[in-house]
Structure formats: C-alpha cells, structure tokens
Amino acid sequence: MSVALLVGASVVLQGSLALLAPGTGVWTDAATASWGNETIVLPALEHPVTVIRDGSGTVHIYAQDDPDLFYAQGYTQASDRLFQMEVESLSAQGNLSSWLGPSALASDEMYRYLGVPQAAAAMAAGVAAEDPSVAQDMNAYVAGVNAYIDWAEAHHALSLAFKVLGVQPYRWSLFASFCFDRLMVIGQTTGFTEPLYAAVEAAGVGDAAFNQLFPIYPQYSQNFTVLPGNGTDNGNSLADEGISASDLFSLDWFGSWATGLSDALNASLVPLYRDAIANLSDPYLADLSPSSGVGSNSWVVAANHSSTGTPLLANDPHLPIMLPSLWVSTQLVSPDFDVEGWSLAGLLGVLIGHNDQLAWGLTNSEGATALDYVETLQGDSYLQNGTWHPLSWTNESIRVAGRAPVAFDLAWTDNGPIVARVGDYGLSVRWAGTGATWEAIAELDFDRAQSIPQFFQALADDWSIPNLNAVVAQSNASDPAGHIAWVVPARFPLVAETLPDGQHVDVIGSRGPLNGSGGYEPVGTVPFDQLPQVEDPAQGYLFAPNQPTVGPEYAYPFIGSWWDSGGRAHTIGVYLQNHTTMSMASMEGLQANVTDSWSLALAPSLLQTLEALAPASPLAQAAVPYLEAFNGSFDVGSVAATIYTYWWNALVTATYDAPVSALGISGAPSAFPSAYAWLAANDPDSSWFPGGFAHASTLAALAALDLLAAHLGIGPTPSAPNLSGWTWGRVHTFVLPSLTGVSSLAAGPYPEWGDSYTPSVAPFTDNSTFPLQEVAIGSSLRFVTEPGLGPSVGVLPGGASEDPASAYYDDLLPLWLDHQYVSMTIVPTSAGPFPEGVVSTWTLQP
Amino acid sequence: MTEPGPRPRRGPLVVAAGVLVAASAAVAYLVAAWWSIVPLAAVLGGLAGIGLRWYLAPVVGFLSGFAGWAVPLLLLPAEPRTKLADVLGAAEGLSGPFFLWLGPLLIGLLGLLAGCALFCALRLVRPPTAREASTPA
C-alpha cells in the first residue's frame, strides 16, 4: 500500500469521524432540533421579547417596540433558517462558488451580470437616508441574525447543512438582506430573457408563424382579464388617443419600426441572443426562462359575493418548492405592528398576510419591467445617438472554493450591464434593479396599513419592481363588508413608439431586443394612478393568476408581456362567476381544483382522432371510453389525463419543440394547448402542422398509445387492452429537493394531481420523458383568509425548520399534499397569553 | 515446584480503567475532539493488556473508544437523533441505526488498534517475566 494511499485513507477517516463526532459533527443537529422553553439573554434588546411557537411552527413574536421586534425576528429566523438565508443571499451576491466550488460559477456570473452586488451595496448605503426608521428596523434585524450566529458558532449548533458542506456562516448585513431581496425580484421579473427567446424563435420560424402561436394579445381564447372590461382604466383608453387596439395588436412588433433592428440584423444577432440567454441562466435558484412554470394564483371576493358577510382572499404563489420551505409563517406584534402571514427568510416584515384591518396577496403580473438592448460597440466604446461613448466598467471577482478567484470586468452602457458580446454587438439589460429600489420600505409600510388607500400609498411611494399583482381586502367590526381592490404596482418603463401609420404611443416592453444606440430608451414610467387597478368592482370579485391584466384598450399597451395561457384564470373566473356565496371552505376547494380548462378545449380533437383509429387499433378503441368520460379533471386516478397528456406531449414535441430545439436554445416558451385548440378549429393547415392538424393528431395519438403501452402495460389480452392502470399519479409525481442538494434530505416522490393549467398547479416543463419530469414547482404556500381578525388558514409544503432532525422540518407536507390547512388566525394581544397549542416559549431578555 | 509469588494488585488498575473510560467520554464530549479518545483508549488498552491479560488490550481499547463516542450520542434527545440517523444513513445507503453506531464502531476500532499498539510497545520495553511467560494466556 503506498504512503499516499495511507495518507488519503487517513484523511478520509479523519473527515468522516469529524463529521460524525457527537460534540461538533452532524449529531449536534439532534441536540438543537427541539424547541423548548428558554430564557435567552440578548443584551442588545431594550425590553423583554416573548417568542411563541405554536403546533404548526408559526412563530409569534411579541415585543414592546419595533427594533426589538425585528431583532427578535432576525434571531428566530436565523435559528430556524440560517443556512437557507446564507446560501440564498450568497447566491445573489454572486459568490456561491465560495461554498460550492466552480460548479456555481455560471450562477454567480449571472447575478454579477445583472448588477446585484452594486445595487445591494447602494441600498445598504442609502436606506438610512431614504427612511431612517426602516433603516433602524433593518439594522436591528441584522443584529438579531448575527446574535444567533455568535451563539450557534460558540455552541457548535450550526445547522446540518453547514457541517455537510464544511462551510462557516458569514456575518449577516444589510447588504446580505438586499441581495436576497434582489434574488426574489429577479425570479419574478419579466423582460430579461423573453425578448431574446422571441427573437431567436422568430428568426428561426418566421415572425408570422411565431406570432400565430404567441400573439401579443392572445386572440385564441376568451381573456379573463384581471381588470373587468375592455381595459379602460381610470377613464383612460387607447381609443381616447385615436388608436385602434385591434390594429395595434395585429402589427408585427418585431419590425424595424418597433425595435430599430432590421430582420436581417436580428437574424445575424442570433448567436448574441443565445449567449445572452445562456449567461442569464441560474441553474440553482432563479429560472429566468419563459418555460420555468413559475406563476401564482390569487383571488378576492367582496362581501356581497361571500357567505360570511365579509370579503375573502386566497393566494398561492407558484415557485420552486424545496426543503426548507421558502416562506416562514410569522406573527409580529408590537404597539404599532400586528401582522400575521408569510415572511421570507432573510428579510424582515411579512410579505403576504393579514393585519387587523387588511389581507393581501401577490402574484406575477407578467408585464415587462426589464428591457433588452442591442449595443453597437467599437473596442471599449458604445454608440449612442450618433456619438461614441466610453464603456464604464466594474471589476468582478468571484471567490471559488479550492481555487483562485475568478475575475472579470463587466462593461456598462447607459442602458445597463452588457451581459453578452459577440464581435461589435453587445446585449445590455436595462432594469431598475441595477440601482436602489425600496420595496423593503413598502413592505413594512403595507404591513402597517389600516386601509386600502394606505396600502396603495405604500406601493405608490416605494414599489418599483418586480411586476406583481397585489390583491387586497379590507374589513373590520364597524365595516364588516369592507372593500376589495387590486393594483399592479410596478413602475413599468415606457418606450415611445411610432406606429407604421405615423401615430405615437407609449408602450410597456418590447417584442424583441431594442436598438440601444438611441431612440428606444425609456421615456418615463406609467404613473401610479394609471397603472392597472380597480377597487370594489361591480362583479364582486377579482382574480389575478398571471393572465392578461387588462383588456386591449388599456392606454399603455403591454407589448413585452408573456401572459400565462389563462387556463387557471378560466377555471377560477368561471367558478367565481357561478358561485356568489363563497365561503372559507369553497375558497379552499377552489385552491384544490384540478380542472384543466384547456384539456376540455382540446380533448375533443383527441377523441375524434381515437374514434377514427379505433376500428384498426384495439388500444385506441380501449382509450375512447376514457376520453368520452373525461371532464378535464387531473386527479391522480385519472386515466384520461394520462392519455391526453401524452398525446399533447407527442403533438407539441413533433410540431413545436422539434423545430425550436433545432434553434439551439433551451427553456423556450411552451406552446399553449389553447393556441393549438384555436389553430385546430380555425387554421388546421397552419405551417405548424405539416400535413394538417388531423394528420399530426393521428401520429401523436399512435405515438402516445404505443409509449404508454410499452411502459404501463395493457394487461394479458392484447386484443382487449386493459388501460385501467394508466393512472395520472403513476406518471406524474412530485418531489421536494433539499436546498443542500443531498438527495436523502429530499421528500417524495409522491403521486401528484394537476398540471400546468389547473388551479392546484403541478407543472412539468420537459415533455420528452417517461415518466414525466418530476414536478418541483407548485404552491409554495396556500393562504385563505378574511381580512382583519376573522378566520384565516394556511399551509406550507414543508415546515418551519431547516433542520432535518426537527419535527418541524416537513410536518406540514402531509397537510399540503391533502389540501388541508392550519390556522393563521390572528390572536389579538388583548386576549392575553397565547391561548393554545404552544410548543415553545422563548423569553428574550435584555 | 515453584513457590507462588505475590498476587498482582489488580484493583487499582480496574478503578483506573473505569475512570479513564468515563474521562474518555467526557473529553470527547467537552473537548469535542474525536481524536482525544484514541490516545485514551490506547492507554487503557495497553495498561489492561500489560497489567491483566494480553487479550484485554484490544478488548478494552475497543470498548473505551466505543464508549467514548457512544455516551455523548446517547445523551442526545432520542427522537431527533433517530430521525437524523435515518436521514443521514439513507444518504449513504445505510440503515439509520447502523449509521448511528458507525462512529462508535469506527472509533472503537481505532481504540482497538491503538490499545494493541501500546501493549506491544510496552512489551518491547518490559519483556514478560519468566513467570508471566509460563502463565497460560
């Protein structure tokens, strides 16, 4: 045996034993996994603070002033989620490689390309001047996190992930919080990559073909817009400006009149666009591709539409689901603060929740808040308005575990950072997030808001990005009927366009990248009072699950929007239309709804195909009864859902995915069944269907049935196939990966209901696998509530703790899988000591 | 016929062994340095082998190493310890209980080797007397 081998074996043994050591290794996790009753001395506090954890893991913090409140929030968040906080912020800082090594370099580069460290540093330096009170609260939060880090390091109590990865926590800071803030914003921002995908696809298949599948304003289905009506908002409409909406949306917005880039130039820039797409890709935490499956549901019903006599609100953000959960269930109480809901580990306050007057929820509104520009470059200069300007530079240095740092210089134009360069052209990204924005201030302000106008004012004052829908309801004892409202609070940059007929219009976003050399830079943002919004609509309800926010008459046309297909909106909208006495139970039931409305539109085509094939195909014959009885429900026992989905997959793979994948891009927007249903009915000989839709459908049905028969079997009698085992839950499963990447810390797979278009969503983005790609995106929380002090329920797919040894690591997952909830009802401070379900009380003592 | 010699005084050795086993566990827990158990196990095993019976060197070495690791583990709360063992064991393809006792087993094995090593070293320094050599092992 060589000496080297002996030394190697010794090192491995030492490492293994150190990891297993009872005093310092992984077992310390077991020592700190339980919550008990403790008195903890924290000299930085002014007054004692009580921290109560209830049986569902919700943390209730009672403090006598706000700095103490947020100090305690920082301390308790860190005690439950320190690794999550640190790794997510480190990712956005562009330094994940310092923990994970070179494998994280691509991720780190993306956040550097988007200017996150510079923006976070600007916010950390500027928050005190912007709002001294919030700065004080944020500094208290930071101090609370660091107090826990000090304690955990001194007591070898860092969570398991630190030990498994062999890393130490860094000190928390305002910079760390703001970096995490940017991570969340980036994942919700529309406009980074969408114009790039669109330009590559349009160059590959032609503008007309692309526009047919992805019209700017979807004409292929009824658009259940968030704003009821045709889009006239606060009295403003396109018609007032003498512009025809139908003409405007039928234009080719890839044209040089709209982008300043000719078709030929666009085609030659495809390699640049591909590079930019690749550089804006984070394999870990923020999927910026249009096919990411990220979305959300929210809806609110007015008192006259509910059985309770009060408004009711529901919200479930669809995000990548991991263990630990993204959200922290929290109640924060101080003399001027009483809010319960969902916090993000790494930020203070409550982002989604309710206080004693209001309840609110957030979803993505999909309108573009980022713009892509093609820059004309010459050496270290860029062209703008006919003259050359020197590029400015930032020096980026990424720390890499076990290696020398990786350094590069990032070039900036007036538009923003250049994320890719090919020859004399660069692609820059312009978005407010490269500078300071103050959503953290807005969040604390709307947590305190006592009325819808105050809630709106908080957003008007400080919310810039990302592009979200905010739904809100108000109710109290003196006015139980209260109010409901919705607004899209983003500061959308406006591009001044001159239409081919010479008319001028300011639009939001762009179809493809814009010419960065002048003429297409933003001319302002949409004024808050002209943003899409409504209060107390006559219909008695509002719903905002990522569908088009406004009708075509809206005065600022959304050109760069990538709306959801509207499948969830269709199901939710029809349900709310038909149910005028909504209750907490029916709100919960709607969150659990697994009807895919698009399958109802397209399944008749499949049935027609199967019936045509049936005389010659026993498999098709056996499938027909299932499709005849299909009601669009994607429950785990549905056989029709399986057949339909594999037929759809085969159809879209042959007609859309194959030509698009030949263009050398991954993550392209998914084709919508709604578009195919429209084409099948209105243009069956579209260029997307070589040989016609019926032919494509037949080939897809044969392929799907053969595939399913090969993998799932057909029983003992081939001439009379038994398809009863082809259930949806066999091919469609759900996993919760661990943030650590350790597979044994993951949960699942579980048979899962739903698909991309069902309100209880369970999307899969890769159509080519059998069984389907495991679902890892879904409702990151479910929340149904009355505003104010009324009943409130919620659930997380996981638990409160990131510690796998804790009983609160995944304790809520069975409830989440079963669409059940735990109470989120505010316990008023006047009720005295916490009434029931207390599992732990910490007294934090100065 | 050989006259019987004075009976070896084993009591103090047994007491010392007990004390050292406890010390081994305490040091492992308090100093939180796994390697501190190994020299203790070596001393215990070596002394037991020299002072009592040769075969006690590996046995006491193993047991003291095992105990030095196991006692702190057993002091952890049972439920999270079991859950953690199941989770971590699964990552390595092992059962939870086996993973739990893997550390004590490994450190016990190291104690065994160290005890034997010290026993052999002491034997080289102090070869067995004629009487000891004639005593059946």
Side-chain angles (χ1 to χ4, degrees):
Chain A
M1 186 183 286
S2 70
V3 173
L5 196 57
L6 276 174
V7 171
S10 167
V11 168
V12 169
L13 188 61
Q14 284 197 45
S16 302
L17 286 173
L19 200 63
L20 295 175
T24 55
V26 294
W27 298 111
T28 56
D29 232 40
T32 56
S34 303
W35 296 327
N37 297 325
E38 296 180 51
T39 298
I40 301 168
V41 176
L42 296 167
L45 291 172
E46 282 289 321
H47 309 283
V49 176
T50 302
V51 177
I52 289 172
R53 288 183 166 92
D54 67 25
S56 66
T58 299
V59 179
H60 306 259
I61 303 175
Y62 300 88
Q64 295 175 39
D65 62 37
D66 286 355
D68 279 357
L69 180 70
F70 295 117
Y71 186 96
Q73 189 183 17
Y75 190 89
T76 52
Q77 273 193 3
S79 74
D80 291 337
R81 302 288 185 88
L82 181 62
F83 177 79
Q84 179 187 30
M85 293 165 63
E86 295 247 333
V87 79
E88 290 182 345
S89 177
L90 195 64
S91 173
Q93 292 170 30
N95 267 324
L96 194 58
S97 303
S98 66
W99 280 11
L100 302 186
S103 64
L105 270 174
S107 165
D108 286 337
E109 286 168 355
M110 186 194 90
Y111 294 104
R112 304 289 182 131
Y113 284 137
L114 291 176
V116 172
Q118 289 84 1
M123 289 189 280
V127 66
E130 190 69 22
D131 191 325
S133 169
V134 169
Q136 185 185 20
D137 293 343
M138 290 194 78
N139 279 312
Y141 173 87
V142 168
V145 175
N146 285 327
Y148 177 77
I149 293 174
D150 290 343
W151 178 87
E153 286 186 327
H155 293 80
H156 305 292
L158 292 170
S159 63
L160 180 70
F162 286 105
K163 299 183 176 73
V164 170
L165 292 182
V167 294
Q168 290 293 311
Y170 52 88
R171 302 285 295 175
W172 199 254
S173 60
L174 292 179
F175 173 76
S177 272
F178 281 121
C179 280
F180 173 64
D181 174 277
R182 277 291 177 270
L183 177 78
M184 297 307 300
V185 169
I186 286 171
Q188 295 295 312
T189 295
T190 301
F192 288 136
T193 63
E194 288 84 352
L196 304 172
Y197 281 104
V200 173
E201 287 196 37
V205 303
D207 293 0
F210 182 80
N211 287 333
Q212 192 173 37
L213 269 197
F214 299 100
I216 291 175
Y217 200 85
Q219 87 288 346
Y220 45 67
S221 60
Q222 181 183 355
N223 287 298
F224 284 75
T225 53
V226 188
L227 183 71
N230 64 7
T232 301
D233 181 38
N234 276 347
N236 303 306
S237 76
L238 266 184
D240 297 338
E241 301 169 34
I243 295 173
S244 158
S246 60
D247 289 352
L248 183 138
F249 287 113
S250 63
L251 293 169
D252 179 11
W253 285 82
F254 287 111
S256 61
W257 64 268
T259 63
L261 305 171
S262 68
D263 285 350
L265 180 58
N266 254 324
S268 73
L269 291 175
V270 164
L272 175 69
Y273 299 157
R274 280 199 202 109
D275 283 359
I277 288 171
N279 289 346
L280 294 176
S281 131
D282 170 15
Y284 292 107
L285 295 173
D287 184 353
L288 304 187
S289 69
S291 65
S292 68
V294 169
S296 300
N297 293 330
S298 68
W299 61 89
V300 59
V301 298
N304 63 9
H305 216 78
S306 83
S307 63
T308 62
T310 69
L312 296 170
L313 181 143
N315 187 202
D316 60 299
H318 306 158
L319 296 166
I321 294 179
M322 288 188 179
L323 289 171
S325 295
L326 176 67
W327 303 92
V328 182
S329 177
T330 308
Q331 183 183 12
L332 301 171
V333 182
S334 73
D336 77 330
F337 215 92
D338 191 353
V339 58
E340 178 156 357
W342 313 91
S343 301
L344 291 165
L347 291 171
L348 66 172
V350 164
L351 189 60
I352 291 171
H354 63 135
N355 62 25
D356 59 347
Q357 300 287 328
L358 304 177
W360 60 92
L362 302 172
T363 61
N364 198 312
S365 72
E366 309 292 355
T369 45
L371 296 166
D372 290 336
Y373 287 95
V374 173
E375 305 284 359
T376 305
L377 307 172
Q378 192 176 73
D380 288 348
S381 301
Y382 67 99
L383 185 64
Q384 192 175 46
N385 296 322
T387 56
W388 293 95
H389 299 262
L391 292 164
S392 55
W393 301 86
T394 54
N395 306 116
E396 309 292 336
S397 179
I398 301 171
R399 302 191 303 274
V400 185
R403 288 196 188 180
V406 172
F408 67 95
D409 294 325
L410 179 62
W412 294 65
T413 71
D414 263 8
N415 285 319
I418 295 183
V419 302
R421 178 173 183 168
V422 174
D424 288 338
Y425 291 100
L427 194 290
S428 67
V429 172
R430 183 166 191 144
W431 69 302
T434 54
T437 61
W438 302 111
E439 292 74 27
I441 296 174
E443 181 185 337
L444 293 188
D445 283 347
F446 67 62
D447 280 354
R448 291 187 179 94
Q450 294 291 294
S451 65
I452 288 175
Q454 284 181 17
F455 188 91
F456 273 35
Q457 192 60 50
L459 297 171
D461 289 344
D462 289 308
W463 193 280
S464 299
I465 48 175
N467 33 267
L468 295 182
N469 295 296
V471 294
V472 56
Q474 179 181 355
S475 172
N476 55 39
S478 60
D479 179 18
H483 306 275
I484 63 171
W486 156 82
V487 66
V488 180
R491 295 190 181 164
F492 293 106
L494 290 169
V495 178
E497 294 281 9
T498 302
L499 304 179
D501 64 5
Q503 289 183 299
H504 300 281
V505 62
D506 292 343
V507 305
I508 297 169
S510 66
R511 194 66 162 148
L514 298 166
N515 188 335
S517 300
Y520 293 92
E521 63 276 11
V523 293
T525 57
V526 180
F528 189 86
D529 64 354
Q530 294 179 41
L531 287 168
Q533 60 192 288
V534 67
E535 184 168 351
D536 293 329
Q539 67 188 21
Y541 58 90
L542 292 161
F543 55 107
N546 318 120
Q547 81 275 37
T549 50
V550 289
E553 289 294 335
Y554 181 59
Y556 301 97
F558 283 95
I559 300 301
S561 292
W562 286 81
W563 317 110
D564 179 81
S565 73
R568 285 176 286 119
H570 192 273
T571 302
I572 293 166
V574 169
Y575 189 93
L576 294 177
Q577 211 169 31
N578 295 332
H579 294 76
T580 55
T581 53
M582 294 293 290
S583 62
M584 289 287 286
S586 59
M587 297 283 278
E588 293 168 18
L590 188 50
Q591 280 193 332
N593 187 298
V594 291
T595 301
D596 175 348
S597 59
W598 296 151
S599 73
L600 290 173
L602 203 49
S605 297
L606 169 59
L607 181 58
Q608 202 173 2
T609 301
L610 292 173
E611 285 169 342
L613 288 171
S617 165
L619 269 177
Q621 195 172 17
V624 164
Y626 290 104
L627 266 296
E628 283 177 336
F630 186 43
N631 62 359
S633 178
F634 276 58
D635 57 73
V636 293
S638 172
V639 171
T642 305
I643 298 170
Y644 167 81
T645 299
Y646 275 89
W647 167 76
W648 163 249
N649 287 353
L651 180 65
V652 78
T653 297
T655 55
Y656 173 75
D657 291 347
V660 169
S661 65
L663 302 175
I665 48 174
S666 59
S670 304
F672 292 147
S674 46
Y676 271 50
W678 186 89
L679 289 174
N682 297 284
D683 190 7
D685 296 321
S686 158
S687 60
W688 289 106
F689 308 127
F693 180 81
H695 177 65
S697 174
T698 300
L699 295 179
L702 291 171
L705 292 172
D706 286 348
L707 183 73
L708 290 170
H711 286 90
L712 298 178
I714 55 172
T717 314
S719 58
N722 178 0
L723 312 187
S724 60
W726 293 13
T727 54
W728 185 228
R730 278 184 74 185
V731 298
H732 184 246
T733 55
F734 169 66
V735 292
L736 287 92
S738 162
L739 186 61
T740 62
V742 177
S743 59
S744 65
L745 299 183
Y750 306 99
E752 198 181 22
W753 61 86
D755 71 356
S756 302
Y757 312 104
T758 53
S760 186
V761 74
F764 47 91
T765 55
D766 184 350
N767 290 327
S768 61
T769 56
F770 187 96
L772 295 168
Q773 174 196 32
E774 286 171 333
V775 173
I777 287 178
S779 299
S780 59
L781 64 84
R782 297 195 189 102
F783 182 43
V784 176
T785 188
E786 279 187 19
L789 302 176
S792 180
V793 294
V795 71
L796 289 170
S801 172
E802 68 179 3
D803 184 345
S806 168
Y808 300 93
Y809 178 63
D810 55 5
D811 57 310
L812 299 180
L813 183 57
L815 299 179
W816 184 92
L817 287 165
D818 202 24
H819 290 94
Q820 294 184 43
Y821 299 80
V822 297
S823 173
M824 297 283 290
T825 302
I826 289 177
V827 179
T829 46
S830 58
F834 202 84
E836 58 183 344
V838 175
V839 297
S840 149
T841 302
W842 286 358
T843 303
L844 309 184
Q845 204 73 0
Chain B
M1 190 173 175
T2 308
E3 288 294 322
R7 186 179 175 81
R9 298 179 63 206
R10 294 176 179 173
L13 277 177
V14 171
V15 172
V19 169
L20 285 173
V21 167
S24 172
V27 168
Y29 187 70
L30 295 174
V31 178
W34 67 268
W35 46 262
S36 64
I37 302 171
V38 178
L40 284 165
V43 170
L44 286 168
L47 289 179
I50 286 290
L52 299 173
R53 293 284 187 275
W54 70 268
Y55 56 80
L56 289 180
V59 170
V60 173
F62 177 83
L63 288 178
S64 53
F66 187 91
W69 200 270
V71 170
L73 270 187
L74 292 173
L75 292 175
L76 294 170
E79 189 180 332
R81 181 186 65 209
T82 304
K83 187 177 178 196
L84 194 60
D86 290 341
V87 166
L88 294 171
E92 305 299 329
L94 304 171
S95 72
F98 182 75
F99 186 84
L100 180 68
W101 298 113
L102 190 59
L105 286 171
L106 286 171
I107 210 79
L109 189 61
L110 284 178
L112 181 153
L113 294 172
C116 288
L118 188 66
F119 170 75
C120 293
L122 290 173
R123 266 282 182 261
L124 286 175
V125 173
R126 190 184 77 87
T129 61
R131 181 182 165 277
E132 285 172 330
S134 67
T135 304

